[in-house]
Amino acid sequence: MDVSTLLSLTDRVDSLAAPSGMHPGAWPLAGRLDGWTRARGLVIGDPDTSPLGRARCDRLAARLLRAAPLDRVELFAHWLTWTFALDDTLDRRPLSASATAVCDLYDDLLRALRRGSARPGARPLESTLAELWRATSAGMSAGWRRRFLVHLEEHRACCAEEAVNRRTGVVPTLQRYAALRRGACGPHLFDLVEPVLGVELPGRVLSCPPWTALTEATADMIAWCNDLASFRRERADGDAHDLVAVLAAAHGFSDGQAVHWTLDRIVHRAADVAAAARVLPDALDRLLLPDDDRIAVARVVPVLLDAPRAHLDWLVESGRYDLARPEEARPPRRQLGLQDILAAR
């Protein structure tokens, strides 16, 4: 897949039409993040050629959090780097095909997080997690910390399920895939928006159906755009955990057809984001939130709404994915009928 295929979404989705901005103070973050990543030993192999070394997490953080204090943007970039380092570890053998190995790794990580410190001689993922947790959780409530832990547990469970699928050669069903992908894509990253912005969302908002609809649809847009960027590498690795492969298996599509259907599903999910955003204000009004909670919601919502385009821009500029620049031959786009759209949802 090439860049133009991914960017074709900007012509079809209003919220993706305008390029994302950048934090005005972002320019020094790249060098500082590179030094931090090397110092913590998170990069395996040559930092200049490894997927993590070329990821440019500073750019993604600076696009997502344009109005946050720069030191908090840098903290979020550290979390992105740690999460990608964890994903790269989980994608390599023996962990990529062993649920037991995934759970064992996560046992060590969660113990370090709960203690607030790593064991002597701990692997970089463990020691860095403990460091990040100390810097992030201070000032956050016990409820927020529990929520973060729940989302890490969800990440562990979904990554373990993916490992079983790889070992047994199972391709996830369309019905299972969306929730599995959301869980394996790092749901804890959404929680981090709050400490970065210096706010905390109340439980009443988090359990509100329009809020759930907004966050899940946003997560799906981000995950499925990422699937488009990474599916060629995953296809080469024999990994079926991307929407392109799942659609191809479910409907007998060629890769080109499955790419087009993936684009269509992202467009439909963008409409779900817009619909949730329209009804959210009325739902929040009914909660009779105090002023501090209203301010927290008002600060977090724009980040969520801007996230898919910020992520799309980062996919194009990051060196983490092999996105071909020249236009490649692909099947002509076919017109979708109503039955096609309903069947794909």
Side-chain angles (χ1 to χ4, degrees):
M1 193 205 72
D2 63 12
V3 168
S4 64
T5 302
L6 193 60
L7 291 180
S8 69
L9 289 164
T10 63
D11 295 325
R12 303 179 61 192
V13 177
D14 289 344
S15 63
L16 298 179
S20 61
M22 183 73 67
H23 194 289
W27 65 268
L29 289 182
R32 294 213 296 261
L33 181 61
D34 180 66
W36 181 89
T37 304
R38 292 172 188 249
R40 272 111 190 120
L42 292 174
V43 178
I44 298 175
D46 185 349
D48 296 324
T49 59
S50 71
L52 182 62
R54 294 183 288 114
R56 297 301 308 272
C57 292
D58 59 295
R59 303 283 292 183
L60 180 54
R63 289 190 180 280
L64 285 169
L65 300 155
R66 299 191 300 275
L70 188 60
D71 64 324
R72 307 308 282 178
V73 177
E74 187 169 4
L75 176 63
F76 191 77
H78 291 170
W79 273 108
L80 287 170
T81 302
W82 178 85
T83 301
F84 286 140
L86 174 60
D87 284 349
D88 288 347
T89 300
L90 295 173
D91 285 343
R92 287 191 299 269
R93 289 186 177 276
L95 282 84
S96 63
S98 171
T100 300
V102 170
C103 291
D104 287 346
L105 170 62
Y106 244 112
D107 283 343
D108 292 339
L109 296 177
L110 292 173
R111 277 193 291 265
L113 188 147
R114 292 188 176 100
R115 287 194 309 264
S117 62
R119 300 166 299 168
R123 72 185 85 193
L125 282 172
E126 181 181 335
S127 57
T128 305
L129 176 61
E131 173 192 345
L132 290 174
W133 183 245
R134 290 192 299 270
T136 306
S137 61
M140 302 304 289
S141 71
W144 182 90
R145 293 195 294 271
R146 282 194 299 270
R147 177 171 21 119
F148 190 88
L149 281 168
V150 166
H151 285 151
L152 282 180
E153 293 278 11
E154 181 183 352
H155 186 250
R156 166 165 64 177
C158 290
C159 290
E161 182 177 338
E162 287 187 344
V164 172
N165 289 343
R166 293 188 192 101
R167 181 173 55 81
T168 58
V170 170
V171 179
T173 65
L174 275 173
Q175 290 73 23
R176 173 59 184 149
Y177 181 71
L180 177 63
R181 187 70 174 100
R182 282 196 297 270
C185 209
H188 60 282
L189 292 173
F190 284 84
D191 300 322
L192 293 169
V193 174
E194 295 161 67
V196 168
L197 296 179
V199 299
E200 188 167 332
L201 295 171
R204 289 188 297 161
V205 169
L206 296 168
S207 61
C208 176
W211 186 268
T212 300
L214 174 65
T215 54
E216 288 189 353
T218 300
D220 287 345
M221 286 184 68
I222 292 170
W224 298 348
C225 283
N226 201 285
D227 286 351
L228 285 169
S230 63
F231 96 91
R232 185 160 52 186
R233 183 182 68 194
E234 288 164 348
R235 172 57 56 85
D237 292 341
D239 192 343
H241 291 97
D242 63 72
L243 186 55
V244 179
V246 170
L247 283 167
H251 296 296
F253 290 156
S254 68
D255 284 348
Q257 291 171 319
V259 165
H260 288 318
W261 278 73
T262 299
L263 291 167
D264 292 332
R265 290 175 74 89
I266 294 170
V267 172
H268 291 304
R269 213 61 176 116
D272 294 337
V273 170
R278 283 194 298 271
V279 301
L280 183 61
D282 287 343
L284 295 177
D285 285 343
R286 289 193 291 273
L287 296 178
L288 301 176
L289 298 173
D291 288 345
D292 287 349
D293 289 345
R294 287 182 175 274
I295 291 171
V297 173
R299 296 197 66 190
V300 172
V301 166
V303 175
L304 294 178
L305 294 178
D306 290 346
R309 178 63 207 233
H311 176 257
L312 182 63
D313 287 333
W314 172 76
L315 286 174
V316 173
E317 66 191 355
S318 172
R320 185 169 174 82
Y321 303 98
D322 181 22
L323 288 174
R325 279 355 191 216
E327 184 78 2
E328 295 176 352
R330 55 182 186 266
R333 180 175 173 79
R334 65 183 182 84
Q335 291 296 111
L336 295 180
L338 177 60
Q339 294 303 316
D340 292 326
I341 293 173
L342 291 175
R345 285 181 69 83

